[in-house]
Amino acid sequence: MATVTPPPPPSAPLSPSTAPPTVVVTQPPPALVNLEIGARIEALVEGVDGRGQVLVKTPLGQLALQTNISLPSSGPIQLQVQSLGTQVFLLITAIHGKAPASALRALSG
């Protein structure tokens, strides 16, 4: 009689992916609204205002950002335009020149 090998156990479910790091500009300046979807913006984090918004300096002027992650208190970030309108949604594509997940891991460690 042949021996039947049972199938391997199912692999562990993948952990739910975390939301990509994004920011919202609730009062975008006209120069920001006139950009194209996908445009990249180099920014320098300058601090936090009294409403808890992150202030960044960009070639378009200073922007106040609402973010879904804790950004470093200073340093360069790169943003990419995701949607335009009365509010502008931006994806954080780099923090201190690194991928956001790597940079945040290094900063928290």
Side-chain angles (χ1 to χ4, degrees):
M1 194 183 252
T3 305
V4 177
T5 306
S11 58
L14 297 175
S15 61
S17 62
T18 57
T22 57
V23 299
V24 178
V25 182
T26 56
Q27 296 178 334
L32 179 58
V33 176
N34 290 330
L35 291 177
E36 306 238 341
I37 301 293
R40 293 188 184 255
I41 304 165
E42 299 296 329
L44 187 62
V45 178
E46 295 187 318
V48 178
D49 70 7
R51 299 177 309 205
Q53 294 185 318
V54 177
L55 300 175
V56 297
K57 182 178 178 181
T58 75
L60 306 171
Q62 187 178 59
L63 303 176
L65 312 175
Q66 293 177 348
T67 180
N68 66 346
I69 62 169
S70 294
L71 287 171
S73 60
S74 64
I77 61 172
Q78 185 183 66
L79 306 167
Q80 184 176 19
V81 178
Q82 295 296 295
S83 71
L84 298 166
T86 55
Q87 294 185 338
V88 174
F89 292 85
L90 306 166
L91 178 68
I92 300 171
T93 56
I95 300 171
H96 290 202
K98 299 178 183 174
S102 301
L104 293 172
R105 238 184 339 268
L107 290 169
S108 67

